[in-house]
Amino acid sequence: MTILLPTPDGGVRAYEPRTDPLMFAPAGPPASRTVFSAAHVVADPYADTTPDGPAAVDWDATLAFRRHLWAHGLGVAEAMDTAQRGMGLDWAGAAELIRRSAAEARAVGGRIACGAGTDQLAHGTLAEVRAAYEEQLAVVEESGARAILMASRALAATATGPEDYLDVYGHLLRQAGEPVILHWLGPMFDPALDGYWGSADLDAATETFLDVVAAHPDKVDGVKVSLLDARREVELRRRLPDGVRCYTGDDFHYPELIEGDERGFSHALLGVFDPLGPLAARAVRTLDTGDAKGFRTLLDPTVELSRHLFRPPTRYYKTGVVLLAWLAGHQDHFTMVGGLQSARSLPHLARAYELADGLGLFPDPALAESRMTSLLTVHGVPR
Protein backbone atom coordinates (compact mmCIF):
# COMPACT_ATOMS: atom_id res chain seq x y z
CA MET A 1 0.00 0.00 0.00
CA THR A 2 1.47 3.34 -1.03
CA ILE A 3 0.18 6.88 -0.93
CA LEU A 4 1.34 9.84 -3.04
CA LEU A 5 2.29 12.79 -0.82
CA PRO A 6 2.73 16.33 -2.15
CA THR A 7 6.16 17.90 -1.74
CA PRO A 8 7.03 21.57 -1.15
CA ASP A 9 8.45 21.86 -4.70
CA GLY A 10 5.05 21.10 -6.24
CA GLY A 11 5.63 17.45 -6.98
CA VAL A 12 4.52 14.21 -5.36
CA ARG A 13 6.37 11.20 -4.01
CA ALA A 14 5.34 7.73 -2.96
CA TYR A 15 5.17 6.86 0.70
CA GLU A 16 4.48 3.43 2.16
CA PRO A 17 2.64 3.66 5.51
CA ARG A 18 3.68 1.40 8.35
CA THR A 19 1.33 -1.36 9.42
CA ASP A 20 2.46 -1.91 13.01
CA PRO A 21 1.35 0.92 15.30
CA LEU A 22 2.64 1.28 18.81
CA MET A 23 0.08 0.03 21.31
CA PHE A 24 -0.41 1.70 24.68
CA ALA A 25 -2.69 0.35 27.38
CA PRO A 26 -4.38 2.81 29.76
CA ALA A 27 -2.35 3.42 32.90
CA GLY A 28 -2.13 5.71 35.90
CA PRO A 29 -0.37 9.07 36.03
CA PRO A 30 3.40 9.35 36.15
CA ALA A 31 4.85 9.65 39.66
CA SER A 32 8.04 11.66 39.24
CA ARG A 33 6.72 14.45 37.00
CA THR A 34 3.42 16.30 36.79
CA VAL A 35 2.38 16.13 33.15
CA PHE A 36 -0.40 18.09 31.47
CA SER A 37 -1.46 17.94 27.85
CA ALA A 38 -3.01 21.11 26.49
CA ALA A 39 -6.00 19.73 24.57
CA HIS A 40 -7.65 20.83 21.34
CA VAL A 41 -11.37 21.35 20.82
CA VAL A 42 -13.42 19.45 18.25
CA ALA A 43 -15.55 21.65 16.02
CA ASP A 44 -19.13 20.87 15.05
CA PRO A 45 -18.76 20.32 11.27
CA TYR A 46 -22.50 20.71 10.64
CA ALA A 47 -22.78 24.15 12.21
CA ASP A 48 -23.71 27.00 9.89
CA THR A 49 -21.09 29.44 11.13
CA THR A 50 -18.35 31.76 9.85
CA PRO A 51 -14.66 32.15 10.77
CA ASP A 52 -15.37 35.28 12.81
CA GLY A 53 -18.55 33.97 14.44
CA PRO A 54 -18.92 32.16 17.77
CA ALA A 55 -17.26 28.76 17.91
CA ALA A 56 -19.50 25.77 17.32
CA VAL A 57 -18.06 22.92 19.41
CA ASP A 58 -18.86 19.22 19.28
CA TRP A 59 -19.00 18.75 23.03
CA ASP A 60 -19.29 14.96 23.01
CA ALA A 61 -16.18 14.50 20.87
CA THR A 62 -14.29 17.20 22.74
CA LEU A 63 -14.91 15.56 26.11
CA ALA A 64 -14.20 12.10 24.71
CA PHE A 65 -10.73 13.26 23.74
CA ARG A 66 -10.11 14.48 27.26
CA ARG A 67 -11.15 11.09 28.61
CA HIS A 68 -8.60 9.56 26.25
CA LEU A 69 -5.84 11.71 27.78
CA TRP A 70 -6.95 11.00 31.35
CA ALA A 71 -7.10 7.26 30.65
CA HIS A 72 -3.40 7.31 29.86
CA GLY A 73 -2.51 9.17 33.04
CA LEU A 74 -2.09 12.68 31.66
CA GLY A 75 -3.57 15.80 33.14
CA VAL A 76 -5.55 18.11 30.88
CA ALA A 77 -4.65 21.77 30.52
CA GLU A 78 -7.98 23.18 29.43
CA ALA A 79 -8.97 26.27 27.47
CA MET A 80 -5.39 27.09 26.57
CA ASP A 81 -3.71 28.13 23.34
CA THR A 82 -4.14 24.60 21.93
CA ALA A 83 -7.91 24.98 22.35
CA GLN A 84 -7.69 28.04 20.05
CA ARG A 85 -8.19 30.67 22.72
CA GLY A 86 -8.26 33.93 20.83
CA MET A 87 -8.01 32.07 17.52
CA GLY A 88 -11.56 30.83 17.07
CA LEU A 89 -12.67 30.17 20.64
CA ASP A 90 -13.95 33.25 22.47
CA TRP A 91 -14.44 33.68 26.20
CA ALA A 92 -18.07 32.52 26.16
CA GLY A 93 -17.02 29.27 24.48
CA ALA A 94 -14.00 28.90 26.76
CA ALA A 95 -16.13 29.36 29.88
CA GLU A 96 -18.48 26.60 28.77
CA LEU A 97 -15.49 24.40 27.92
CA ILE A 98 -14.02 24.95 31.39
CA ARG A 99 -17.28 24.09 33.15
CA ARG A 100 -17.93 20.99 31.05
CA SER A 101 -14.37 19.67 31.24
CA ALA A 102 -14.04 20.30 34.97
CA ALA A 103 -17.27 18.40 35.58
CA GLU A 104 -16.00 15.54 33.42
CA ALA A 105 -12.70 15.52 35.31
CA ARG A 106 -14.56 15.16 38.59
CA ALA A 107 -16.62 12.31 37.17
CA VAL A 108 -13.62 10.27 36.02
CA GLY A 109 -11.01 11.39 38.57
CA GLY A 110 -8.86 13.27 36.04
CA ARG A 111 -6.40 16.04 36.79
CA ILE A 112 -7.31 19.38 35.23
CA ALA A 113 -6.05 22.95 35.15
CA CYS A 114 -7.80 25.70 33.20
CA GLY A 115 -6.71 28.93 31.58
CA ALA A 116 -7.90 32.27 32.93
CA GLY A 117 -7.12 35.31 30.84
CA THR A 118 -8.70 38.51 29.59
CA ASP A 119 -9.91 37.59 26.10
CA GLN A 120 -13.40 38.99 26.75
CA LEU A 121 -11.63 42.37 26.66
CA ALA A 122 -10.06 43.75 23.47
CA HIS A 123 -8.38 46.63 25.27
CA GLY A 124 -8.93 48.69 28.39
CA THR A 125 -7.48 50.29 31.48
CA LEU A 126 -5.47 48.37 34.04
CA ALA A 127 -8.56 48.28 36.25
CA GLU A 128 -10.55 46.73 33.41
CA VAL A 129 -7.79 44.19 32.77
CA ARG A 130 -7.85 43.21 36.47
CA ALA A 131 -11.64 42.88 36.37
CA ALA A 132 -11.50 40.68 33.26
CA TYR A 133 -8.93 38.41 34.90
CA GLU A 134 -11.06 38.28 38.06
CA GLU A 135 -14.13 37.21 36.10
CA GLN A 136 -12.28 34.35 34.44
CA LEU A 137 -10.44 33.32 37.59
CA ALA A 138 -13.80 33.05 39.37
CA VAL A 139 -15.18 30.74 36.66
CA VAL A 140 -12.15 28.44 36.92
CA GLU A 141 -12.16 28.34 40.72
CA GLU A 142 -15.92 27.79 40.89
CA SER A 143 -15.47 24.81 38.54
CA GLY A 144 -13.06 23.24 41.01
CA ALA A 145 -10.07 23.33 38.66
CA ARG A 146 -6.59 24.73 39.23
CA ALA A 147 -6.17 28.10 37.49
CA ILE A 148 -3.54 28.91 34.92
CA LEU A 149 -3.10 32.68 34.66
CA MET A 150 -2.57 33.14 30.93
CA ALA A 151 -0.70 36.00 29.36
CA SER A 152 -3.03 38.86 28.41
CA ARG A 153 -3.05 40.70 25.10
CA ALA A 154 -4.96 43.53 26.75
CA LEU A 155 -2.37 43.85 29.52
CA ALA A 156 0.47 43.80 26.98
CA ALA A 157 -1.24 46.64 25.10
CA THR A 158 -2.03 48.69 28.22
CA ALA A 159 0.94 48.24 30.53
CA THR A 160 3.58 50.98 30.47
CA GLY A 161 6.29 49.05 32.27
CA PRO A 162 7.15 46.25 34.72
CA GLU A 163 5.33 47.98 37.58
CA ASP A 164 1.97 47.46 35.89
CA TYR A 165 2.59 43.71 35.62
CA LEU A 166 3.67 43.53 39.25
CA ASP A 167 0.52 45.38 40.27
CA VAL A 168 -1.94 43.30 38.21
CA TYR A 169 -0.45 39.91 39.00
CA GLY A 170 0.10 40.78 42.65
CA HIS A 171 -3.57 41.75 42.95
CA LEU A 172 -4.71 38.49 41.34
CA LEU A 173 -2.40 36.27 43.37
CA ARG A 174 -3.46 37.86 46.65
CA GLN A 175 -7.10 37.02 45.98
CA ALA A 176 -6.63 33.59 44.40
CA GLY A 177 -8.19 30.89 46.54
CA GLU A 178 -5.60 28.25 45.59
CA PRO A 179 -2.09 28.38 44.12
CA VAL A 180 -2.10 29.06 40.39
CA ILE A 181 0.18 28.35 37.46
CA LEU A 182 1.67 31.45 35.84
CA HIS A 183 2.00 31.20 32.07
CA TRP A 184 4.62 33.08 30.06
CA LEU A 185 3.70 32.65 26.39
CA GLY A 186 6.26 33.99 23.96
CA PRO A 187 5.51 36.13 20.90
CA MET A 188 6.23 33.20 18.57
CA PHE A 189 2.93 31.77 19.84
CA ASP A 190 1.14 35.13 19.89
CA PRO A 191 2.78 38.23 18.37
CA ALA A 192 0.52 40.47 20.48
CA LEU A 193 2.47 39.34 23.57
CA ASP A 194 5.78 40.83 22.45
CA GLY A 195 7.39 42.72 25.32
CA TYR A 196 5.44 40.88 28.01
CA TRP A 197 6.46 41.56 31.63
CA GLY A 198 7.30 45.11 30.57
CA SER A 199 10.30 44.65 28.32
CA ALA A 200 11.31 43.19 24.96
CA ASP A 201 14.64 42.36 26.64
CA LEU A 202 14.12 38.78 27.83
CA ASP A 203 16.64 39.16 30.63
CA ALA A 204 14.75 42.15 32.03
CA ALA A 205 11.40 40.43 31.50
CA THR A 206 12.67 37.35 33.35
CA GLU A 207 13.58 39.47 36.38
CA THR A 208 10.05 40.91 36.54
CA PHE A 209 8.53 37.46 36.13
CA LEU A 210 10.65 36.10 38.97
CA ASP A 211 9.79 39.14 41.12
CA VAL A 212 6.10 38.24 40.78
CA VAL A 213 6.80 34.68 41.90
CA ALA A 214 9.10 35.70 44.74
CA ALA A 215 6.51 38.10 46.15
CA HIS A 216 3.83 35.38 46.35
CA PRO A 217 5.50 31.93 46.45
CA ASP A 218 2.64 30.45 48.48
CA LYS A 219 0.17 31.38 45.71
CA VAL A 220 2.19 29.97 42.80
CA ASP A 221 1.97 26.24 42.15
CA GLY A 222 4.33 26.64 39.22
CA VAL A 223 5.30 28.58 36.15
CA LYS A 224 4.75 27.48 32.55
CA VAL A 225 7.40 28.79 30.18
CA SER A 226 6.76 28.77 26.42
CA LEU A 227 9.74 30.60 24.94
CA LEU A 228 11.33 27.73 22.94
CA ASP A 229 14.64 28.55 24.66
CA ALA A 230 15.91 25.61 26.71
CA ARG A 231 18.87 27.47 28.22
CA ARG A 232 16.67 30.29 29.49
CA GLU A 233 14.15 27.84 30.94
CA VAL A 234 16.87 25.96 32.86
CA GLU A 235 18.29 29.20 34.25
CA LEU A 236 14.84 30.38 35.30
CA ARG A 237 14.00 26.96 36.78
CA ARG A 238 17.05 27.08 39.02
CA ARG A 239 15.97 30.42 40.47
CA LEU A 240 12.43 29.47 41.46
CA PRO A 241 11.57 29.37 45.17
CA ASP A 242 11.40 25.96 46.80
CA GLY A 243 8.08 24.28 46.09
CA VAL A 244 7.36 26.22 42.88
CA ARG A 245 7.37 23.93 39.86
CA CYS A 246 8.60 24.74 36.39
CA TYR A 247 6.30 23.34 33.69
CA THR A 248 8.02 23.25 30.34
CA GLY A 249 6.03 24.58 27.44
CA ASP A 250 9.02 24.16 25.10
CA ASP A 251 7.80 22.01 22.22
CA PHE A 252 11.32 21.93 20.75
CA HIS A 253 13.39 20.71 23.74
CA TYR A 254 10.97 18.87 26.04
CA PRO A 255 12.84 15.55 26.40
CA GLU A 256 15.97 17.09 27.89
CA LEU A 257 14.01 19.57 30.01
CA ILE A 258 11.76 16.89 31.49
CA GLU A 259 14.72 14.57 32.12
CA GLY A 260 16.57 17.40 33.83
CA ASP A 261 20.01 17.35 35.40
CA GLU A 262 21.62 17.07 38.81
CA ARG A 263 20.09 20.43 39.79
CA GLY A 264 16.48 19.76 38.85
CA PHE A 265 14.00 19.11 36.08
CA SER A 266 10.91 20.52 34.46
CA HIS A 267 7.40 19.15 34.73
CA ALA A 268 5.36 19.44 31.53
CA LEU A 269 2.42 21.37 30.12
CA LEU A 270 2.68 20.87 26.39
CA GLY A 271 0.53 21.22 23.31
CA VAL A 272 2.46 18.50 21.52
CA PHE A 273 1.35 16.00 24.17
CA ASP A 274 -2.12 16.22 22.55
CA PRO A 275 -1.05 13.96 19.64
CA LEU A 276 1.72 12.26 21.64
CA GLY A 277 -0.39 11.56 24.75
CA PRO A 278 -0.09 7.77 25.27
CA LEU A 279 3.54 7.64 24.08
CA ALA A 280 4.54 10.61 26.23
CA ALA A 281 2.85 9.13 29.29
CA ARG A 282 4.67 5.83 28.83
CA ALA A 283 7.97 7.67 28.43
CA VAL A 284 7.54 9.59 31.69
CA ARG A 285 6.48 6.43 33.54
CA THR A 286 9.71 4.88 32.23
CA LEU A 287 11.58 7.82 33.74
CA ASP A 288 9.78 7.11 37.03
CA THR A 289 11.79 3.88 37.24
CA GLY A 290 15.08 5.75 36.87
CA ASP A 291 15.52 4.62 33.28
CA ALA A 292 16.51 7.92 31.70
CA LYS A 293 17.90 6.19 28.61
CA GLY A 294 14.62 4.38 28.02
CA PHE A 295 12.75 7.65 28.48
CA ARG A 296 14.85 9.38 25.85
CA THR A 297 14.64 6.38 23.50
CA LEU A 298 10.86 6.76 23.52
CA LEU A 299 10.59 10.54 23.44
CA ASP A 300 13.57 11.82 21.42
CA PRO A 301 12.24 10.49 18.08
CA THR A 302 9.08 12.59 18.53
CA VAL A 303 10.95 15.90 18.45
CA GLU A 304 11.14 16.02 14.65
CA LEU A 305 7.34 15.83 14.45
CA SER A 306 6.94 18.45 17.16
CA ARG A 307 9.35 20.86 15.49
CA HIS A 308 7.45 20.39 12.25
CA LEU A 309 4.06 21.06 13.85
CA PHE A 310 5.39 24.15 15.64
CA ARG A 311 7.41 25.61 12.78
CA PRO A 312 6.79 29.33 12.09
CA PRO A 313 4.20 30.76 12.10
CA THR A 314 4.16 28.77 15.35
CA ARG A 315 0.68 29.88 16.38
CA TYR A 316 -0.79 27.69 13.63
CA TYR A 317 0.47 24.45 15.19
CA LYS A 318 -3.14 23.65 16.17
CA THR A 319 -3.93 22.76 12.57
CA GLY A 320 -1.47 19.88 12.56
CA VAL A 321 -2.61 18.76 16.00
CA VAL A 322 -6.23 18.47 14.87
CA LEU A 323 -5.23 16.77 11.61
CA LEU A 324 -3.46 14.06 13.63
CA ALA A 325 -6.45 13.65 15.96
CA TRP A 326 -8.66 13.04 12.91
CA LEU A 327 -6.21 10.62 11.33
CA ALA A 328 -5.89 8.75 14.63
CA GLY A 329 -9.67 8.28 14.81
CA HIS A 330 -10.35 10.59 17.75
CA GLN A 331 -12.84 12.61 15.68
CA ASP A 332 -14.76 12.08 12.47
CA HIS A 333 -13.66 15.11 10.46
CA PHE A 334 -10.91 17.65 9.84
CA THR A 335 -12.83 20.83 10.59
CA MET A 336 -11.70 23.44 13.11
CA VAL A 337 -13.39 26.35 14.82
CA GLY A 338 -12.64 29.56 12.98
CA GLY A 339 -11.88 27.60 9.82
CA LEU A 340 -8.31 27.10 11.01
CA GLN A 341 -7.98 23.83 9.09
CA SER A 342 -6.86 26.03 6.19
CA ALA A 343 -3.97 27.59 8.13
CA ARG A 344 -1.29 25.11 6.99
CA SER A 345 -0.30 24.05 3.47
CA LEU A 346 -1.04 20.63 2.05
CA PRO A 347 2.68 19.67 1.93
CA HIS A 348 2.96 20.65 5.61
CA LEU A 349 0.02 18.43 6.54
CA ALA A 350 1.35 15.58 4.42
CA ARG A 351 4.69 15.72 6.22
CA ALA A 352 2.91 15.75 9.59
CA TYR A 353 1.07 12.58 8.55
CA GLU A 354 4.28 10.92 7.41
CA LEU A 355 6.18 11.74 10.62
CA ALA A 356 3.32 10.64 12.87
CA ASP A 357 2.85 7.43 10.93
CA GLY A 358 6.56 6.73 11.14
CA LEU A 359 6.34 7.01 14.93
CA GLY A 360 3.45 4.53 15.03
CA LEU A 361 1.04 7.07 16.53
CA PHE A 362 -2.02 5.93 14.57
CA PRO A 363 -3.89 3.06 16.29
CA ASP A 364 -5.31 2.06 12.89
CA PRO A 365 -2.77 2.88 10.15
CA ALA A 366 -5.21 1.82 7.41
CA LEU A 367 -7.80 4.29 8.67
CA ALA A 368 -5.19 7.06 8.80
CA GLU A 369 -4.06 6.24 5.26
CA SER A 370 -7.64 6.23 4.00
CA ARG A 371 -8.42 9.58 5.61
CA MET A 372 -5.20 11.17 4.39
CA THR A 373 -5.91 9.89 0.89
CA SER A 374 -9.38 11.44 0.99
CA LEU A 375 -7.92 14.79 2.03
CA LEU A 376 -5.35 14.65 -0.74
CA THR A 377 -8.00 13.72 -3.30
CA VAL A 378 -10.12 16.74 -2.37
CA HIS A 379 -7.05 18.88 -3.10
CA GLY A 380 -6.42 17.26 -6.48
CA VAL A 381 -3.53 14.97 -5.61
CA PRO A 382 -3.69 11.85 -7.82
CA ARG A 383 -4.04 8.44 -6.25
Side-chain angles (χ1 to χ4, degrees):
M1 180 173 62
T2 60
I3 178 173
L4 293 179
L5 299 180
T7 58
D9 62 3
V12 296
R13 62 183 180 81
Y15 172 71
E16 184 174 343
R18 66 183 289 168
T19 58
D20 56 335
L22 298 177
M23 301 303 293
F24 302 101
S32 64
R33 308 289 191 271
T34 301
V35 182
F36 289 97
S37 167
H40 74 279
V41 293
V42 182
D44 177 357
Y46 299 112
D48 184 10
T49 186
T50 60
D52 57 355
V57 177
D58 180 337
W59 294 112
D60 289 342
T62 293
L63 295 176
F65 187 75
R66 280 132 183 85
R67 291 194 296 272
H68 154 73
L69 294 172
W70 286 320
H72 287 278
L74 297 173
V76 168
E78 189 56 276
M80 301 292 291
D81 188 56
T82 307
Q84 297 181 240
R85 286 291 291 270
M87 292 184 68
L89 187 71
D90 61 12
W91 166 234
E96 185 170 2
L97 178 63
I98 289 166
R99 294 186 181 104
R100 286 176 179 260
S101 291
E104 196 73 14
R106 288 194 301 273
V108 303
R111 183 194 296 265
I112 190 168
C114 299
T118 66
D119 45 330
Q120 74 274 51
L121 182 71
H123 52 79
T125 65
L126 288 179
E128 290 169 331
V129 169
R130 284 195 299 269
Y133 262 129
E134 288 170 345
E135 177 188 355
Q136 296 203 14
L137 182 59
V139 169
V140 174
E141 291 190 333
E142 289 166 4
S143 77
R146 183 174 298 281
I148 303 169
L149 287 185
M150 302 172 68
S152 163
R153 292 175 180 172
L155 180 55
T158 302
T160 59
E163 299 78 11
D164 289 337
Y165 289 89
L166 292 167
D167 175 69
V168 170
Y169 278 91
H171 175 83
L172 295 169
L173 290 171
R174 282 190 295 272
Q175 71 176 38
E178 299 290 339
V180 307
I181 298 171
L182 297 180
H183 187 189
W184 185 358
L185 190 69
M188 67 288 293
F189 289 94
D190 187 342
L193 300 177
D194 192 27
Y196 211 73
W197 304 110
S199 178
D201 181 324
L202 288 179
D203 290 334
T206 297
E207 294 305 315
T208 302
F209 185 55
L210 288 169
D211 285 346
V212 171
V213 178
H216 308 276
D218 58 322
K219 289 296 187 74
V220 180
D221 166 82
V223 300
K224 193 242 179 174
V225 186
S226 299
L227 298 176
L228 304 183
D229 184 334
R231 177 194 60 81
R232 184 171 298 279
E233 179 175 321
V234 170
E235 291 176 354
L236 186 153
R237 182 176 78 196
R238 291 173 176 171
R239 296 178 62 189
L240 292 173
D242 290 344
V244 176
R245 298 180 177 94
C246 180
Y247 294 92
T248 187
D250 188 331
D251 300 277
F252 285 4
H253 307 99
Y254 50 93
E256 66 222 59
L257 290 165
I258 296 170
E259 179 188 0
D261 55 30
E262 68 282 355
R263 296 177 60 183
F265 55 82
S266 294
H267 300 269
L269 198 165
L270 288 161
V272 76
F273 280 7
D274 180 302
L276 296 182
L279 188 157
R282 176 180 286 183
V284 180
R285 283 193 293 271
T286 301
L287 189 58
D288 288 346
T289 69
D291 184 2
K293 181 179 179 180
F295 164 77
R296 295 296 292 266
T297 297
L298 283 167
L299 211 54
D300 281 357
T302 69
V303 172
E304 185 179 5
L305 171 62
S306 187
R307 286 176 175 261
H308 178 73
L309 295 176
F310 286 80
R311 65 185 293 184
T314 301
R315 62 189 179 277
Y316 295 123
Y317 75 88
K318 299 92 163 171
T319 302
V321 165
V322 174
L323 171 81
L324 297 183
W326 173 53
L327 297 177
H330 295 298
Q331 56 192 78
D332 295 330
H333 58 84
F334 179 41
T335 304
M336 298 175 67
V337 299
L340 208 64
Q341 68 271 10
S342 65
R344 290 293 202 187
S345 71
L346 193 63
H348 178 93
L349 298 178
R351 181 60 176 160
Y353 160 73
E354 181 181 7
L355 290 170
D357 180 71
L359 290 168
L361 294 184
F362 301 131
D364 184 344
L367 174 66
E369 184 273 339
S370 173
R371 289 184 168 185
M372 192 68 208
T373 297
S374 70
L375 179 66
L376 295 172
T377 299
V378 166
H379 286 82
V381 178
R383 288 177 178 264

